[in-house]
Amino acid sequence: MTDQVRPPEVDRVAASRKAVAARRARASLKRDIAMRVVTPQEVLRRAFADPHSPAGTLRVPEFLTALPAIGEGKRDRILAELQISPVKRLGGLGTRQREALAAWLDRRMPVRGHRRTRSSLVVLAGPTAVGKGTVAAHIREHHPEVLLSISATTRAPRPGEVDGQHYYFVSDAEFDRMIAEDELLEWATVHGEHRYGTPRGPIDDAILAGRSVLLEIDMQGAFQVRRSEPTATLVFLLPPSWDELVNRLVGRGTEGAEERARRLRTAKVELAAQNDFDFRIVNDDVAVAAQQVVDLMQASAR
Ligand code: 5GP
């Protein structure tokens, strides 16, 4: 008889484990929305594509309060305006409600469309610890046809770094001279400490020779490049999730607790700027992300 009793119990344990896992996945997704690792539009796409996914089973009120600057009062007004019951889950919305929610989102937080760009100058930026350096290094190794710009910096070389290969390590006075003589396409003080800048000459030469150029620089630099070269393509590298970004920063072990907290605060601000980029690429797998960057460069050059 015990055979007849056991399976339902096993089922219950399995079901409750599944429920815990689903709740965790939804909590993680809400962090991703709040930290802007995913756009709300992408969450809707996932929810409508699969109502059983973490996005699909997320309740609409929880989705709304995960968005920036939406508290409980605003949430209730939006639900009333869109005529959506607070018990509804994203995946359970009817066609008309889906359209109303999607249209409301697009009005409230528009995502920059892919611009038609001409130049093969591509800027790769993204939050701290997302792995920009690793993706750039992968491109350097596997795509010699791409010129990876070498920046000038006032910071000291780390062990193993070679002048002229990883950076041009320069003095403050030399950096001042480069600025004064307009030798830098952009420059910025990064992490409130040292100055970094992109030498203009090699880039101009490479573009003239028809080569693609990749800059791996910080966000301030990315926007400066857009100002001086409006045809440049700005690519934002995203972590697979906020939790993963935190793991990478902690796992790297190169920063102390205070510095880590500071960098995470910076990352939060940086993620909020992603909608101003032309493309977003998720760095889940370095080789795949690198290939996507290279594909974009080839598409831009056409
Ligand atoms: P690290 O000191 O770890 O090599 O680099 C620190 C940061 O400086 C990275 O986020 C990197 O993207 C940024 N960076 C490196 N070169 C440049 C540059 O030429 N211009 C700007 N704006 N940022 C740079």
Side-chain angles (χ1 to χ4, degrees):
M1 286 321 280
T2 44
D3 278 353
Q4 285 176 328
V5 177
R6 218 175 281 141
E9 213 163 89
V10 171
D11 282 354
R12 263 202 304 281
V13 172
S16 96
R17 266 208 207 111
K18 238 172 122 183
V20 170
R23 261 202 306 280
R24 280 217 190 103
R26 280 195 297 273
S28 169
L29 179 66
K30 279 196 285 181
R31 279 194 291 281
D32 290 347
I33 300 170
M35 296 306 190
R36 311 196 198 199
V37 173
V38 282
T39 58
Q41 282 87 349
E42 167 64 15
V43 175
L44 285 195
R45 195 196 59 73
R46 290 182 201 168
F48 301 159
D50 179 5
H52 302 292
S53 64
T57 53
L58 187 63
R59 290 194 194 277
V60 182
E62 291 189 74
F63 169 68
L64 290 175
T65 45
L67 301 177
I70 294 189
E72 294 181 0
K74 243 189 216 164
R75 172 198 66 191
D76 294 343
R77 280 197 298 280
I78 298 161
L79 286 171
E81 178 194 322
L82 301 177
Q83 300 183 350
I84 295 176
S85 149
V87 299
K88 279 279 183 186
R89 295 175 190 271
L90 288 177
L93 294 175
T95 314
R96 204 181 39 75
Q97 290 174 321
R98 288 180 181 196
E99 283 169 6
L101 183 57
W104 174 84
L105 261 184
D106 284 340
R107 279 197 306 278
R108 189 180 166 103
M109 13 188 105
V111 177
R112 193 187 179 93
H114 294 175
R115 295 177 313 147
R116 293 298 316 149
T117 47
R118 280 173 288 118
S119 148
S120 45
L121 175 62
V122 172
V123 179
L124 184 65
T128 181
V130 73
K132 282 171 292 177
T134 319
V135 170
H138 193 277
I139 294 173
R140 179 186 291 133
E141 202 176 316
H142 295 93
H143 296 275
E145 74 280 12
V146 173
L147 176 81
L148 207 67
S149 161
I150 301 167
S151 302
T153 180
T154 57
R155 86 154 161 76
R158 293 186 190 130
E161 283 183 336
V162 179
D163 186 43
Q165 189 180 324
H166 297 93
Y167 283 105
Y168 295 109
F169 296 99
V170 301
S171 64
D172 268 310
E174 172 66 2
F175 204 93
D176 287 340
R177 188 199 60 76
M178 293 174 100
I179 296 172
E181 300 196 1
D182 201 23
E183 285 182 14
L184 299 178
L185 175 63
E186 61 75 39
W187 69 271
T189 302
V190 179
H191 298 310
E193 239 183 321
H194 298 291
R195 289 183 292 174
Y196 296 79
T198 306
R200 195 192 284 282
I203 295 181
D204 290 346
D205 293 347
I207 299 254
L208 272 178
R211 284 181 78 186
S212 298
V213 179
L214 182 67
L215 310 186
E216 185 255 291
I217 59 178
D218 88 320
M219 309 267 293
Q220 317 163 64
F223 291 120
Q224 278 188 54
V225 171
R226 173 175 282 156
R227 275 195 293 279
S228 49
E229 301 283 340
T231 58
T233 303
L234 267 53
V235 179
F236 193 91
L237 199 62
L238 278 165
S241 69
W242 174 258
D243 293 349
E244 179 58 28
L245 187 69
V246 175
N247 281 346
R248 286 181 192 175
L249 198 60
V250 174
R252 196 157 76 173
T254 44
E255 290 87 17
E258 207 173 297
E259 178 59 19
R260 271 206 306 269
R262 202 167 67 85
R263 288 192 181 211
L264 282 175
R265 279 197 300 279
T266 309
K268 193 176 161 189
V269 173
E270 289 172 338
L271 280 164
Q274 62 173 279
N275 283 3
D276 291 323
F277 280 67
D278 300 308
F279 296 94
R280 281 162 288 274
I281 289 178
V282 177
N283 185 18
D284 208 346
D285 177 301
V286 172
V288 173
Q291 189 59 52
Q292 288 174 334
V293 174
V294 172
D295 289 347
L296 274 179
M297 305 187 95
Q298 277 148 9
S300 305
R302 259 180 231 129

